Amino acid sequence: MRRVMFAALTLVAALAAAACGSGSSDNGTGGKVVSVNQSEQQGALVGKNLDLSKLSPDIKDPDHPVTITFESPWVSSPLIQKLAKEFHQIHPNITVQLQAVNQDSEQTKLTTQIAGGNAPDSAYMDSSTVGAFAPRGALVSLNDYMGKSIATPPADYPDAFKTMNSYQGQFYALPYDGESTGLFYRKDLFQTAGIPAPPKTWAEMQADAQKLTNSSLRQYGIALFATQYETSYYFYPFLYQAGGSQTTDDDKQAALNTPEAIKAAQFYTGLSKYSPPDLWNSNSYDGRVAFATGKVGMYIAGAWMIGDLQRSFPKVTSKWEVAPMPTMDAGSPCQTTIAGNSLAVFSQSKNPDAAWKWIEFLDAPQNMALWNVGTKKEPSSLLPPRKSLIADQTTFSANPQLRIFSEMMANCGITNLSNNTNWGEVDGGPLSTALAKVIYGKADAATAMNDAESQANEILSKPTT
């Protein structure tokens, strides 16, 4: 689940020695800018090695010391703290003050801060929230900044990430990290059950789940969740594969009682027959233990789980593998969910140019690569949302299993198809409830989705607050 996909990043260790100054300039009429020794820059494995002191020289540094705030759930990460220090070395007149926020409540806190006139200068936030804040004028349009920077060419971002970070043709945030959803499977349980390969179609997935389920051993075929947002998030790949969407083409009505949506809901919830009921009230992060201990044979999750399993359960690393999401039928289009996080500057900032310099620095190719894939010594398991990094054969050398997720992101990735600003309320409300009811056996899929449709339409028709 995207809410927890970067939990592993808190474990990123401090990296190589700090960069050292090697030169300085007065940056025209602005403040001083100091070059750093690129050969000592963080030990990043990949990424175009831009001169971090010359990313956008036409945007001047402040001519006096300023402090900007950066709100993020990951300010305790040694990597972020190190990057903030390096940024200050390059831009001596800009100090970054890191402010912690709980990931689950970040949008609520930012909404409160914006209303109170005390928004941070910049933030790391779920890309899905860009569409909520940009229409309200809470974020700075970045197009002018990006046009003056060598670090953020719009053409280098995959289309889905451009969409997530734009509003009315303007960028309001920079894509920073991403994930796609794929299939994890236990090789040892597959072998014992006589299954030669991971499933490629819905029919194979259901058959494999049945073969893997052994009630006498308390072993199940696949993990499934019936909690708010979790159940809807993992339903979407099946919805897209069936040819469905969240809403109608004009984005004003829900599309939950269509034949495609009902077919997807019937298949997805039908897997509950092969899923441990005690997991239904959990979430994909806590539930990963059932996969690591061999209680379930298949697990749908994002790339974040690769790194987490490697770190948290190293003794079973040889017993599992990853595969693309099965398609509805043989030869039918692959579709899966993608999500990510972004970097934004808030309109209430008194130092937007300085705040831009900071998020531009973080988003520079070598720093984006460092955040997403780490180093050979300290690998991470996120997907850099840059075409140049995805195409680079060295990008995933530290963690080759990421390549499958990268290919799915590039070739099959779909972000939220609805731009209706009220969709989030539907996602965590009627849709999650409908799917949960079917999983718990309290309704059939057609009835539940039809009921959800009516409730969703009421929500979608409400004015944006």
Side-chain angles (χ1 to χ4, degrees):
M1 172 79 182
R2 55 190 169 186
R3 291 186 301 112
V4 296
M5 70 184 197
F6 304 128
L9 288 173
T10 58
L11 301 177
V12 174
L15 299 175
C20 57
S22 60
S24 65
S25 72
D26 288 335
N27 194 24
T29 58
K32 180 183 295 185
V33 177
V34 180
S35 298
V36 296
N37 186 331
Q38 295 290 298
S39 66
E40 297 184 14
Q41 180 67 30
Q42 300 138 11
L45 286 171
V46 294
K48 191 174 182 180
N49 205 20
L50 299 179
D51 185 337
L52 295 169
S53 67
K54 299 177 180 177
L55 299 180
S56 55
D58 289 341
I59 302 171
K60 305 303 180 186
D61 278 39
D63 57 11
H64 62 279
V66 301
T67 296
I68 60 167
T69 52
F70 178 66
E71 196 162 284
S72 167
W74 312 115
V75 296
S76 63
S77 160
L79 177 57
I80 284 295
Q81 294 177 12
K82 174 176 170 49
L83 288 172
K85 290 179 181 177
E86 290 180 351
F87 175 78
H88 182 65
Q89 286 182 306
I90 298 172
H91 303 279
N93 275 349
I94 308 174
T95 299
V96 180
Q97 182 184 86
L98 302 175
Q99 296 183 340
V101 60
N102 185 289
Q103 187 177 21
D104 288 339
S105 59
E106 183 176 19
Q107 184 173 358
T108 300
K109 182 179 179 181
L110 286 171
T111 300
T112 302
Q113 289 176 306
I114 292 167
N118 60 349
D121 294 288
S122 59
Y124 167 104
M125 58 191 198
D126 191 313
S127 300
S128 65
T129 60
V130 176
F133 291 138
R136 302 172 185 175
L139 304 179
V140 172
S141 170
L142 302 180
N143 280 37
D144 185 54
Y145 287 124
M146 295 171 73
K148 297 175 181 176
S149 173
I150 62 171
T152 57
D156 202 23
Y157 300 113
D159 289 345
F161 287 88
K162 290 181 188 175
T163 301
M164 282 192 282
N165 289 280
S166 300
Y167 173 68
Q168 295 185 338
Q170 298 281 311
F171 274 88
Y172 283 89
L174 297 177
Y176 189 45
D177 56 35
E179 73 157 4
S180 62
T181 297
L183 181 69
F184 291 72
Y185 66 98
R186 292 279 306 218
K187 293 186 294 184
D188 54 339
L189 301 187
F190 268 57
Q191 184 175 13
T192 300
I195 306 171
K200 294 182 179 179
T201 65
W202 289 11
E204 290 180 3
M205 188 178 207
Q206 183 172 339
D208 291 350
Q210 185 174 9
K211 290 178 183 176
L212 291 163
T213 299
N214 186 329
S215 57
S216 63
L217 298 176
R218 295 184 60 79
Q219 176 186 301
Y220 295 85
I222 188 167
L224 213 63
F225 304 99
T227 44
Q228 186 183 35
Y229 297 112
E230 290 276 348
T231 189
S232 55
Y233 187 70
Y234 292 112
F235 162 68
Y236 288 145
F238 301 102
L239 174 67
Y240 303 150
Q241 291 174 15
S245 181
Q246 284 104 330
T247 56
T248 54
D249 290 343
D250 62 6
D251 222 8
K252 294 181 179 178
Q253 300 282 310
L256 302 181
N257 65 351
T258 63
E260 294 83 5
I262 291 173
K263 182 176 183 178
Q266 287 172 332
F267 174 73
Y268 173 70
T269 58
L271 294 173
S272 61
K273 290 186 290 187
Y274 317 111
S275 172
D278 58 342
L279 274 189
W280 294 349
N281 194 38
S282 184
N283 59 70
S284 56
Y285 183 71
D286 294 337
R288 77 202 192 291
V289 177
F291 180 77
T293 56
K295 185 175 181 179
V296 295
M298 292 185 285
Y299 207 91
I300 302 171
W304 62 268
M305 196 162 112
I306 294 175
D308 186 85
L309 288 174
Q310 290 170 341
R311 279 186 290 269
S312 302
F313 306 96
K315 293 182 179 179
V316 299
T317 297
S318 64
K319 295 182 178 181
W320 58 268
E321 192 47 85
V322 296
M325 285 292 291
T327 58
M328 186 173 68
D329 299 304
S332 62
C334 65
Q335 305 285 8
T336 192
T337 309
I338 60 172
N341 290 282
S342 306
L343 304 168
V345 175
F346 285 80
S347 302
Q348 294 173 7
S349 172
K350 295 180 180 178
N351 298 290
D353 288 359
W356 161 259
K357 290 284 189 184
W358 166 237
I359 68 169
E360 174 194 46
F361 169 84
L362 292 176
D363 211 66
Q366 60 262 52
N367 284 340
M368 177 188 280
L370 188 65
W371 175 254
N372 280 273
V373 300
T375 66
K376 284 186 177 179
K377 184 178 180 181
E378 297 289 345
S380 187
S381 62
L382 302 175
L383 301 177
R386 272 186 186 271
K387 294 178 182 176
S388 56
L389 288 173
I390 293 171
D392 189 336
Q393 292 298 312
T394 64
T395 296
F396 303 111
S397 59
N399 211 333
Q401 288 174 313
L402 281 175
R403 191 170 301 283
I404 286 177
F405 286 83
S406 172
E407 291 171 352
M408 286 191 291
M409 183 173 80
N411 302 321
C412 316
I414 294 181
T415 184
N416 197 339
L417 292 179
S418 174
N419 290 318
N420 190 303
T421 53
N422 293 332
W423 179 256
E425 189 176 343
V426 175
D427 181 73
L431 179 56
S432 289
T433 299
L435 296 169
K437 280 184 177 178
V438 185
I439 290 173
Y440 277 103
K442 295 181 179 178
D444 63 82
T447 301
M449 295 298 276
N450 191 59
D451 291 345
E453 169 89 4
S454 301
Q455 298 169 41
N457 285 337
E458 289 185 19
I459 293 171
L460 295 177
S461 64
K462 292 192 302 185
T464 301
T465 57

